[in-house]
Amino acid sequence: MKILVVNPFGDTEFHGEENLRRIARPDTELDIVNISDMYPLRNNQWLYFRYMCTDGTLEKVMWAEKQGYDAVFISCNLDIGLHEARQLVDIPVTATLESAALVSHMMGSTFSLVTVDDQNGKIQESMLATYGLHDHFVSQRPFHIDANDLYPDQTPTGEVIEAVLDAARACVVEDGAEVIIPGCTLAGSVLTHDVPNVEEVVGAPVLDGMVTGFKMAEMMADLKAAGVPTVSRSGWFEKPPKDDFNKLRSFMGRGI
């Protein structure tokens, strides 16, 4: 199996490759790319930035299908271009927040997000509603470190860990969360790498969305190989008309 991991911003998540290679199946190959050729920033937490990241992400997804990848995992809690990608390609496409929220529904009756800031948490909360996964959601608490500052060259790792853990513990103690989802892959990856006893520290399981999203991609690729369709084409994920798609691509000077 071959999976492409797309970082939908202009950098690559620290610890990401190490954490994913540790949990990938022995027969799974993975490659990690970002969209720095189309988007220069290391973060995408604002609505306009999220919009501007989508185009580059979809280009990587379509390229992955042409290159023979079995699945794509979009590694970002804003699930950049997830639904658009599922309309365009026939290989499975997974992303971080959706995967973590789906798994949290199996693990407990409630879950919370710990996010970089309140507005970013509002975006993710609206996404959960779109996914139909909002019923078990009880809170989002920001840890107040901009995504651009989560990189080790901007903020010491220890400060990031303590801020995320403080917010997570409040979700458990004050909001009744039974599962915690870090609302940024950069935060989740550092907890996976540096806090092996995180459930004991927080008081509830903490779902690293990179891990759950990648394992979901493996599972969906297995299902496709077993003859299960990647998505239903009868409604939401119906493909665009081929003539219009080709006309648009030609107009933009891009390959078909």
Side-chain angles (χ1 to χ4, degrees), residues 10 13 41 47 65-66 73 81 100 103 105 115 133-134 146 181 186 188 198 225-226 228 232 255:
E13 293 145 332
L41 304 179
L47 285 167
E65 183 176 50
K66 291 177 181 177
F73 164 50
V103 173
H105 274 234
T115 57
L133 297 172
H134 193 272
D146 188 282
I181 300 174
L186 297 172
V198 67
V228 179
S232 170

Side-chain angles (χ1 to χ4, degrees), residues 59-219:
E59 290 296 322
K60 297 297 184 187
V61 172
M62 290 186 285
W63 175 85
E65 183 176 50
K66 291 177 181 177
Q67 294 299 310
Y69 285 89
D70 298 292
V72 175
F73 164 50
I74 300 170
S75 188
C76 173
N77 258 70
L78 291 178
D79 293 0
I80 304 293
L82 175 62
H83 282 181
E84 294 88 344
R86 287 178 177 160
Q87 281 195 338
L88 296 176
V89 299
D90 292 319
I91 58 174
V93 183
T94 65
T96 309
L97 179 61
E98 183 192 55
S99 297
L102 284 167
V103 173
S104 77
H105 274 234
M106 294 187 287
M107 294 180 65
S109 64
T110 57
F111 72 94
S112 291
L113 292 165
V114 288
T115 57
V116 295
D117 57 33
D118 187 62
Q119 73 87 29
N120 189 257
K122 298 289 188 191
I123 295 172
Q124 294 185 48
E125 186 174 351
S126 72
M127 291 163 59
L128 292 171
T130 299
Y131 296 157
L133 297 172
H134 193 272
D135 286 351
H136 294 183
F137 173 77
V138 291
S139 66
Q140 67 93 4
R141 286 181 178 262
F143 52 83
H144 299 298
I145 302 177
D146 188 282
N148 217 35
D149 295 329
L150 287 172
Y151 294 87
D153 60 355
Q154 296 295 316
T155 305
T157 299
E159 289 185 21
V160 173
I161 291 173
E162 197 54 43
V164 175
L165 292 179
D166 283 348
R169 283 188 288 256
C171 289
V172 174
V173 174
E174 299 180 33
D175 305 329
E178 296 178 11
V179 182
I180 301 296
I181 300 174
C184 178
T185 52
L186 297 172
S189 66
V190 76
L191 293 184
T192 294
H193 187 265
D194 291 326
V195 190
N197 60 335
V198 67
E199 181 176 358
E200 179 182 333
V201 173
V202 170
V206 177
L207 278 180
D208 182 345
M210 290 182 70
V211 172
T212 52
F214 185 84
K215 297 305 286 187
M216 193 73 74
E218 286 185 327
M219 182 192 73

